[in-house]
Amino acid sequence: MVSLENPLQPHENGIRLALEQARIAYEQQEVPVGAVVVHDGRVIGEGHNLRETLNDPTAHAEMIAITQAAGFLKSWRLLDCTLYVTLEPCPMCAGAIVQARIPTVIYGAADPKAGASQSLYSITTDPRLNHQATVMGGVMELECAGILREFFAEQRAQGKK
């Protein structure tokens, strides 16, 4: 018997929340990537890209959400948490995921140029490291990729990026 259930559906709410953060970034002329960290069904960290605003190359959505979540839990170990992010994490963010011991990462759009969870590298699942995460990509992929395409098309039309 073939199941008609969507295996991605349970994670769509998390990605929707991450997309809200991406929209905030878009409004601030930041690359529209958003992230949320969920623990026991509750958002304990959220973030969107702030690299331009803060002039900080480490101000990625995931880094901000992870820092907030660690502050909330009063622990750098984000056990029993799920990170939802609209774009596949880069090498820096994938390293932070491993260091924070986040067990589950769900992302929307793959990043063939800088993705470090499945596309280009597999840092978050590398068995040589002291921690691995379960990773699932492609949740609401069209919406997540669409906001990025729209942003960069607008930036190019304005002669910016």
Side-chain angles (χ1 to χ4, degrees), residues 3-57:
S3 173
L4 298 177
E5 288 189 32
N6 178 357
L8 307 180
Q9 190 169 9
H11 298 297
E12 288 179 358
N13 287 339
I15 292 294
R16 279 190 186 90
L17 294 171
L19 273 166
E20 288 177 19
Q21 290 295 311
R23 288 184 192 97
I24 294 168
Y26 194 117
E27 292 168 7
Q28 296 175 349
Q29 295 297 301
E30 295 277 356
V31 174
V33 176
V36 296
V37 176
V38 175
H39 179 263
D40 289 337
R42 178 177 178 193
V43 175
I44 62 168
E46 59 187 13
H48 55 274
N49 276 357
L50 287 171
R51 292 190 313 166
E52 301 294 334
T53 302
L54 299 177
N55 292 311
D56 180 353

Side-chain angles (χ1 to χ4, degrees), residues 22 26 30-33 49 86-88 109-110 142-154 156:
Y26 194 117
E30 295 277 356
V31 174
V33 176
N49 276 357
T86 57
L87 182 65
E88 180 181 0
L142 295 177
E143 295 90 335
C144 293
I147 193 171
L148 287 162
R149 270 194 306 277
E150 181 181 333
F151 175 80
F152 284 112
E154 185 177 293
R156 284 189 296 277

